[in-house]
Amino acid sequence: MSVEQKQAHTSGQGTAGEGRSDPWRLTQRAFDAERAARDETLFALANGTLGVRGALEEDDSPSDGTFLSSVFEQNPIHYHERFPGFTRSTDTRVPVAEGKHLRLQLGDTPLRLQEAEWLDFERTLDLAAGTLERRLRLKTAQGHTLEIRARRVVPLAERALLAIRFEVASIDYAGPLTLCSSIETGRQAVEQGDDPRIGVHGGKELHVADEHADAGGARLTQRTHHSGVALVCAQQHRLSPGLVFTVAQAGGGRVEQRFGATLTPGASVVIEKYVAYDDGNGQAQDGVDAVLVRALRVGFDGIAAVQADALHAFWQRAGLSVEGDAAAELALRFNLFHLLQSAGRDGINGTAAKGITGEGYEGHCFWDTEAFVLPVMAFTAPDVARAMLMYRFRTLDGARDTARAMNHPRGALYPWRTIAGRECSAHYPSGSAAYHINAAIAYGIGLYLDASDDLDFLSEAGAEILFETARIWPQAGHFNPRLDGAFCIHEVTGPDEYTTLVNNNWYTNRMAQRHLRRAVAAWARLSTDRPDALRALAGRIGLDADEVALWQRAADAMHLPVDEALGIHPQDDDFLAKPRWPFPRREGPHRPLLLDYHPLTLYRHQVCKQADVVMAMVLAGDGVDLGAKRRDFDYYEAVTTHDSTLSAPVYGILASEVGQDGKAWDYFDASLRVDLDDLHGNTDHGVHMAAMAGSWLGLVQGFGGLRIVAGRLQFAPTLPQAWKGYGFNLRWRGCALRVDVDARGARYRLDEGDALAFGHAGSEVMLNAGREVALPLAVPSPPKLPLPRACDALIFDLDGVLTDTAHTHYRAWKRLADEIGVPFDLQVNERLKGVDRMASLEIILERATRIYSNDEKRALADTKNGYYVQEIAHVGPQDLFDGVSEVLDAARAAGLKLGLASASRNAPTLLQKLGIADRFDYIADAGRIVRAKPDPAIFLDVAAALGVPAHRCIGVEDAAAGIEAIHAAGMAAIGIGDARALRHADAVIPHINAFDLRTFVSP
C-alpha cells in the first residue's frame, strides 16, 4: 500500500490531538506520513538525560532520532569580519546511536510498512504511567495478517535506559519469523535550511568504534570529532518461549542480533529489548553493563511499574484538573509531562528550549529555562528545579569566560545560547547583548529559594551565582549625571529580539534591580546564617561589603521611567519615538517577520517579537499600579507580533490581572496547544518547552492569579467562562497545597505541612494541616483612565455613534450572503461592528462551504459595497442622532479639533448626506489604512493629521474592537451603548445625547 493510499485509508480517523475521552492518554488512531516528524516529537519519551523520539520500532524514518543531553559536536563559526569577543564556535546537539529498531522478516521477505495495508493503528502516550503504547494490525504485500503491539519506557529511575516490550501476533500467518534487533549510527544533525529556529549547523556523524555483537548482546562506542564527548551504547534482550538467537553482525557503524521463531495463526512471540547509554557523566552504577543487569533482572513489567510509581508520586503532588473541558485538561497534563521528562535533573545537563525531543535550536539552553520552565518545576518538582540550577553552577566558569570575552574584568555573564557553558550565538545584537540572561537566572534562583528555603543550595551554589552575575551590572551600567545620578544600562537587548542594542531597556533595568537586591539579600542571609561559608566564598572571589553596598545603591537608583504623555513604561529610551510597523497583517499560517525582513528593517520600527515590558509586569510587576499595567498591556499588545511562543502566555497572564478576561482566554488557548496543533510550524524539530510551561503558568498565574510578593504566595483566582472549574497542586516550603476553583469560589486545602500563610484577593489567610477554606472569587475590575482629562481633540467613529447605518450594512451583507449561499444572521452581524469591509467578509465566509480566492473576495466586497451605496442613497440630516450637532458645537466652542475614524470607505459620502462633513477637521481615508480595528492605526492616523498627540485625544466608539483600538493608540475611550459589552471603556454613556463635554474634558 503506497504512502498516499495509507493516508487515504486513515484520513478522518483521528490525529495526535484526539483521545479526549481519557484526559490522561494522548491517543492517535491514524498514521499520517506527512506529519510523521511532528508525531515523533509529540510521542517522544525522555528522562532529562536520554530522549527517544516516537518513531516505530519496525520502520525507518528520516526524522527519527535518539539524543543524550550531554552529547554535542563543536563546529567553527566563520565570519568575514570577526571582532574581539566574537564567539568562535558553536555547540550542536547530534543524534546518538539509534537503539529502538526491531525489524521483521517473514521467511526471507522483510516487512516493509510502506507496502503493507494498515488495517488498524493506535498509538498512546500514557501520561499517568509514563509509557508509550502502540498497536498496528496490517496485511503484508503477500497477504499475511499480523498484529504488532509495542510498549516503550525511558525510566526516570535510570540515567539512560530505553526499555521496549515488542510483541508480534499472527492472525493468519504460518511460517518463520525473524526479529532483527539493531543499534545503528550514521544520522547527522539536521541542516538549517532558511529557518534559523531549527539550527545553524549539520555536520558529520559521530565516529564509531568497538562494534561487537554476539548471542549475549551488542554494543558500540561513539566519539565526537571536536568536542571530546564519547559514549557507549549496548543492548540485551529477554525472549519469550519459542524465540531463539540465530546470528549476530557488527560493522559499518551497525550492530545487530537476530532472533527466530515459527509463527502459527493465533500465536505470538515477545521480545523485551533494553538499550543502555553511558556518556561518562554518571556513577559506576550508571555504566551500561550495570544498567543492563538491573533491567534483565527486573524485566519490562518491573521497569514499567517503577515508572508508573514515579509518575503517580509526581501527579499526586503536581496534579491539575479542568472541569468541563477534557481536551484542555489533557493538553495541560501533556505539557507538564513533557516538562518533567525533558528538564535536566542530574545537575550536569541543561534544559534545552526543545527539550530532548529533537534538534531544534541545536539543543541549546536559553533564558526561558529559568523564566518559564524552572518556575513550574519549583512549584511541582523542587528537586528538579534545584538540579536545573546546579547545571548553571556547573557552567559558571563558562559564564566567567564569556564575561572576560565581553571585556568585563570580573564577574560572570551567562551566554545567550549554550550547551556546555560557552556562548554559541554568532549574532551578538540579539544574542550576547541580551544581558538579561543573568537576571533571569537570578530570578530562577530567587523563586526556588522562596519556594524551598534551601539554605544549603544558597551557601553551596546559589550565592556564588548571584554574586558573580550581579557584578556585571555596575560594569554594564553607570550612574548618569544627566539623569540626576539614575543608574542606566546601555547597549543591551531585552526579550524583544526585534529591538536590539538599546539604552535602558525597561525589562532589563527592572530585572537587574531585582537581581541586585536578591544578591544583597543573599549576602545578608549568609552573614547571619552561614558566616563561615560566606567568608570562604567572599575570599575566593574577592568580594567585600563595599561592592555589595554598590549593588544596593545601583538598585535604588535604577532608571525605570514612565512616559508622562502615554502613562506607560517605555520599552527603552528610543522605542516610542520610532514609527509603528507599516506593513499590513499577513494572512495564512503564522510566519515570523524575521524570516522575511532584514533585521535593520525590524529595528527601525515599533514592532515587538514578544512580550518585553509586559514580561516585566508579570515577572516583577509588584508595586506597579493596575492602571499602568493596563496601559502597558493595551499599548504593547498593538505592536507585538507574538512571533515567539514565549509571548502568548505572558500576555495572557497580564490580561487576567488587568481584567481582560476574553483576551486572557485567547492567549491561554494559543499557548495550550502550540505543539499538539503545531501552531508555529516547527514542532517537527522538538517541543516548545517554554510554551508548554507557559500553559501551566497561564493556568496558575493567569487564572489562579498566583504571584510571589516579598517571598509570600498571593492568589487572585478567576474562572474562565469556558470552564466549570479547575484545580492545581503546589509545593511550597515543605507544604502541599491544593487549590480548586469553580463558580462558587476558591477552595484551599493543605495536604502536607503544619500550616501555610498566603494571600487571597488582598486578604491574609492562615491554613492549618488537613483543613480547607472556601473564599469568593477575585473580581478584577478593568482600570479606567481618569476623567475629565486634558484634551485637544475628539475622534469619533461614525456608525452607532453619530448615526445608525448598522442595519443598512446588515441588509447589504445579508443580500450578498444569500446570493452565495452562506448563512448570515444578526448574531454574526454583531461581530462586524467596528470591522472594515474585507475583515467583515472574512468573518462571513467562515461559514462558506468552499474556499474563495483573493480576487473573488475583492469582487464580493465590491458587490456588497454596491448594495450598501444603493441603501444609503436616501440618507439625510434626518438620520443624524439626536444630540450630535450640540456635541460638535460644544467641542468647537471649547477649541477642540474634531476627527472621524470610521472603517467605512463611504464615510465621507455619508457625512455629506448627513450635513456635518464641514464640522470635521479630518476624516480618515479608510482605504489607506492597512490594519483594521482593533489595531490603533486609524486613530493614530487621525491624531497625526490633526496635529494632536495621541494622549491628548479622546476617542468615541460603540464597538469593543474600537475601544481596544483607542486604548492601544494611547487615548482615553468613551463607549456609547451597552455598558457590559463596553466595560473596558473609560466611561460608557447610553447615547450620544448624553455626552457632556464637562464630564470628559478638563477646562
Side-chain angles (χ1 to χ4, degrees):
M1 186 177 185
S2 68
V3 171
E4 291 79 8
Q5 288 171 321
K6 180 166 57 181
Q7 288 174 314
H9 179 74
T10 59
S11 64
Q13 293 183 26
T15 67
E18 295 192 359
R20 294 172 185 167
S21 58
D22 185 344
W24 287 101
R25 295 167 65 85
L26 180 75
T27 298
Q28 178 189 43
R29 295 186 176 89
F31 184 88
D32 185 346
E34 291 185 355
R35 294 193 169 190
R38 180 206 66 171
D39 295 338
E40 288 165 12
T41 294
L42 299 182
F43 290 98
L45 293 177
N47 69 353
T49 300
L50 173 65
V52 181
R53 285 173 64 81
L56 313 185
E57 287 86 350
E58 68 275 21
D59 199 15
D60 289 305
S61 169
S63 53
D64 191 15
T66 293
F67 305 94
L68 288 170
S69 54
S70 60
V71 177
F72 62 92
E73 185 57 283
Q74 195 173 87
N75 295 294
I77 297 175
H78 301 286
Y79 304 91
H80 287 292
E81 297 93 9
R82 182 168 64 197
F83 293 91
F86 278 28
T87 188
R88 300 194 172 209
S89 65
T90 185
D91 298 336
T92 302
R93 173 181 289 164
V94 290
V96 298
E98 183 56 71
K100 71 167 68 76
H101 285 308
L102 283 159
R103 295 185 176 84
L104 283 69
Q105 283 186 198
L106 300 183
D108 296 328
T109 304
L111 172 64
R112 293 185 174 88
L113 295 186
Q114 293 79 5
E115 299 173 358
E117 180 184 0
W118 292 37
L119 304 176
D120 191 22
F121 175 82
E122 184 172 286
R123 174 164 49 182
T124 296
L125 183 65
D126 189 327
L127 308 176
T131 59
L132 178 63
E133 304 169 1
R134 178 173 58 87
R135 184 185 75 254
L136 170 60
R137 179 173 288 209
L138 55 82
K139 180 176 288 188
T140 70
Q142 293 74 35
H144 307 304
T145 307
L146 301 176
E147 183 162 296
I148 298 168
R149 292 180 177 268
R151 295 183 68 203
R152 188 185 300 176
V153 182
V154 177
L156 298 172
E158 293 285 358
R159 179 171 174 77
L161 172 67
L162 166 63
I164 300 171
R165 186 182 190 276
F166 192 84
E167 179 180 4
V168 181
S170 170
I171 306 303
D172 56 20
Y173 172 68
L177 168 73
T178 301
L179 295 177
C180 309
S181 177
S182 63
I183 300 172
E184 302 175 11
T185 64
R187 283 206 65 234
Q188 300 179 12
V190 71
E191 289 284 358
Q192 169 184 328
D194 66 349
D195 189 343
R197 298 170 298 170
I198 299 171
V200 174
H201 288 280
K204 297 186 293 186
E205 66 270 16
L206 302 182
H207 175 73
V208 181
D210 302 328
E211 300 153 301
H212 176 78
D214 57 25
R219 70 178 59 210
L220 54 77
T221 300
Q222 290 182 292
R223 293 185 178 86
T224 60
H225 295 271
H226 306 294
S227 62
V229 178
L231 68 106
V232 178
C233 178
Q235 68 178 28
Q236 290 188 15
H237 307 82
R238 286 175 58 169
L239 310 175
S240 67
L243 191 59
V244 297
F245 171 77
T246 58
V247 67
Q249 302 174 12
R254 185 175 190 274
V255 293
E256 179 185 88
Q257 296 168 275
R258 294 192 171 205
F259 305 91
T262 299
L263 279 183
T264 58
S268 66
V269 294
V270 177
I271 184 170
E272 294 183 0
K273 179 173 183 176
Y274 307 103
V275 187
Y277 297 83
D278 184 5
D279 60 2
N281 288 322
Q283 306 298 320
Q285 66 266 24
D286 298 316
V288 294
D289 293 326
V291 171
L292 291 174
V293 166
R294 288 196 297 273
L296 288 168
R297 183 176 65 245
V298 176
F300 182 89
D301 288 341
I303 293 170
V306 171
Q307 178 81 339
D309 288 344
L311 266 296
H312 176 74
F314 171 73
W315 290 117
Q316 195 169 33
R317 295 182 174 181
L320 54 85
S321 59
V322 176
E323 186 181 354
D325 192 344
E329 187 175 57
L330 171 63
L332 282 164
R333 287 172 178 161
F334 170 82
N335 292 344
L336 185 52
F337 174 82
H338 266 286
L339 293 176
L340 175 71
Q341 69 169 3
S342 273
R345 59 179 55 245
D346 60 1
I348 298 171
N349 296 299
T351 301
K354 290 282 194 173
I356 327 176
T357 60
E359 297 163 84
Y361 298 113
E362 298 180 79
H364 291 164
C365 305
F366 295 78
W367 69 291
D368 42 278
T369 295
E370 284 75 25
F372 289 82
V373 181
L374 189 137
V376 179
M377 294 295 102
F379 288 122
T380 62
D383 55 329
V384 176
R386 191 184 204 275
M388 292 171 65
L389 293 171
M390 289 306 296
Y391 159 75
R392 292 295 192 181
F393 182 66
R394 187 180 73 84
T395 58
L396 182 57
D397 282 341
R400 291 184 174 110
D401 292 342
T402 299
R404 303 303 169 270
M406 300 286 284
N407 308 122
H408 298 299
R410 57 196 329 199
L413 178 61
Y414 277 95
W416 173 242
R417 56 191 301 166
T418 188
I419 293 178
R422 295 180 294 271
E423 177 62 83
C424 293
S425 174
H427 190 244
Y428 74 88
S430 61
S432 301
Y435 275 51
H436 67 86
I437 180 73
N438 271 9
I441 293 170
Y443 168 81
I445 291 172
L447 183 60
Y448 171 71
L449 290 172
D450 285 343
S452 67
D453 197 29
D454 187 346
L455 187 57
D456 289 340
F457 168 78
L458 178 64
S459 64
E460 295 166 10
E464 187 169 353
I465 299 174
L466 287 170
F467 296 161
E468 285 288 80
T469 50
R471 284 178 146 170
I472 296 298
W473 297 118
Q475 299 173 64
H478 69 290
F479 295 95
N480 190 341
R482 293 192 170 197
L483 292 173
D484 297 325
F487 189 81
C488 298
I489 303 172
H490 287 177
E491 298 304 324
V492 296
T493 298
D496 170 26
E497 296 167 36
Y498 290 170
T499 310
T500 66
L501 300 176
V502 301
N503 298 335
N504 295 309
N505 171 254
W506 208 92
Y507 171 88
T508 300
N509 284 18
R510 180 70 163 187
M511 295 298 288
Q513 180 187 58
R514 294 298 174 91
H515 181 180
L516 291 165
R517 287 176 174 167
R518 181 69 72 169
V520 171
W523 174 275
R525 176 78 185 274
L526 292 181
S527 296
T528 301
D529 296 340
R530 297 285 174 88
D532 293 341
L534 177 62
R535 192 177 305 111
L537 172 58
R540 188 170 72 254
I541 65 175
L543 180 66
D544 58 28
D546 289 341
E547 189 174 357
V548 176
L550 173 64
W551 298 345
Q552 183 67 59
R553 189 160 68 93
D556 292 343
M558 190 65 67
H559 185 51
L560 294 167
V562 175
D563 183 83
E564 292 185 5
L566 295 174
I568 66 173
H569 300 96
Q571 185 167 306
D572 57 65
D573 284 355
D574 298 316
F575 185 85
L576 298 180
K578 298 177 182 179
R580 294 200 180 208
W581 186 250
F583 304 103
R585 295 185 188 276
R586 289 187 285 191
E587 303 298 329
H590 185 91
R591 182 173 171 86
L593 298 179
L594 64 88
L595 299 182
D596 296 314
Y597 292 93
H598 192 284
L600 289 177
T601 304
L602 299 170
Y603 300 164
R604 293 186 183 115
H605 293 93
Q606 284 190 56
V607 59
C608 298
K609 180 183 179 185
Q610 63 203 77
D612 197 297
V613 170
V614 169
M615 184 82 177
M617 293 300 110
V618 171
L619 266 58
D622 51 297
V624 178
D625 75 83
L626 199 61
K629 290 181 180 180
R630 171 61 189 271
R631 292 190 293 274
D632 284 339
F633 178 90
D634 289 337
Y635 190 90
Y636 289 107
E637 186 193 30
V639 297
T640 301
T641 64
H642 307 294
D643 284 351
S644 167
T645 58
L646 308 185
S647 191
V650 178
Y651 268 92
I653 292 167
L654 190 61
S656 286
E657 184 177 357
V658 300
Q660 285 272 22
D661 49 334
K663 291 190 175 185
W665 173 260
D666 290 341
Y667 281 120
F668 169 78
D669 194 49
S671 65
L672 181 64
R673 300 182 63 85
V674 164
D675 289 308
L676 284 171
D677 292 340
D678 196 11
L679 296 181
H680 282 244
N682 59 351
T683 298
D684 290 6
H685 306 285
V687 299
H688 296 78
M689 292 284 282
M692 287 179 154
S695 68
W696 188 94
L697 296 172
L699 174 73
V700 176
Q701 293 186 341
F703 302 141
L706 172 64
R707 298 291 188 276
I708 309 303
V709 180
R712 288 170 56 86
L713 291 169
Q714 303 279 353
F715 295 95
T718 60
L719 181 64
Q721 189 174 6
W723 291 350
K724 295 179 181 178
Y726 63 91
F728 53 84
N729 291 6
L730 293 179
R731 307 295 306 283
W732 183 261
R733 297 201 172 201
C735 296
L737 177 67
R738 174 69 183 186
V739 182
D740 285 292
V741 179
D742 59 23
R744 296 169 295 177
R747 298 181 307 282
Y748 300 91
R749 187 181 71 244
L750 191 61
D751 293 331
E752 294 180 26
D754 296 330
L756 179 63
F758 58 90
H760 170 91
S763 301
E764 292 299 312
V765 180
M766 175 61 73
L767 192 59
N768 294 316
R771 301 301 297 274
E772 181 176 297
V773 61
L775 298 167
L777 294 176
V779 184
S781 177
K784 311 290 185 181
L785 289 173
L787 294 167
R789 60 190 291 109
C791 175
D792 297 321
L794 297 179
I795 302 176
F796 295 89
D797 185 23
L798 174 59
D799 191 25
V801 175
L802 306 179
T803 188
D804 184 9
T805 62
H807 202 68
T808 307
H809 278 290
Y810 171 73
R811 288 195 300 269
W813 281 123
K814 178 65 174 171
R815 181 176 173 184
L816 177 73
D818 288 346
E819 288 176 357
I820 62 175
V822 174
F824 181 68
D825 54 26
L826 289 170
Q827 186 175 2
V828 176
N829 190 61
E830 278 297 306
R831 296 174 58 197
L832 309 188
K833 276 193 172 183
V835 180
D836 69 13
R837 190 184 307 160
M838 292 305 296
S840 294
L841 180 61
E842 292 290 350
I843 292 172
I844 292 170
L845 293 181
E846 289 174 2
R847 296 184 174 188
T849 56
R850 73 174 183 89
I851 303 297
Y852 286 81
S853 69
N854 288 334
D855 287 342
E856 288 177 310
K857 291 176 182 177
R858 283 189 288 270
L860 290 174
D862 290 342
T863 299
K864 179 268 174 185
N865 188 54
Y867 296 156
Y868 178 72
V869 170
Q870 295 174 22
E871 292 278 354
I872 64 173
H874 305 294
V875 170
Q878 71 277 2
D879 295 300
L880 201 65
F881 282 155
D882 292 342
V884 170
S885 294
E886 291 79 1
V887 170
L888 298 182
D889 289 343
R892 279 288 184 216
L896 301 182
K897 293 185 176 182
L898 298 176
L900 190 85
S902 171
S904 173
R905 299 186 186 191
N906 297 296
T909 301
L910 273 171
L911 290 183
Q912 290 286 351
K913 289 179 172 295
L914 292 168
I916 56 172
D918 59 346
R919 306 280 193 98
F920 288 89
D921 298 290
Y922 180 75
I923 300 169
D925 179 359
R928 193 173 54 82
I929 305 299
V930 297
R931 291 171 176 258
K933 302 171 187 177
D935 190 277
I938 194 168
F939 286 97
L940 292 171
D941 174 74
V942 174
L946 295 176
V948 177
H951 70 281
R952 302 278 297 189
C953 299
I954 293 176
V956 186
E957 262 280 4
D958 75 318
I963 298 298
E964 183 179 338
I966 294 169
H967 278 149
M971 305 174 184
I974 308 301
I976 294 183
D978 184 357
R980 291 171 298 178
L982 302 175
R983 70 188 188 93
H984 293 290
D986 299 301
V988 179
I989 55 178
H991 193 274
I992 189 68
N993 62 14
F995 192 103
D996 184 346
L997 202 65
R998 295 168 299 178
T999 303
F1000 306 124
V1001 179
S1002 300

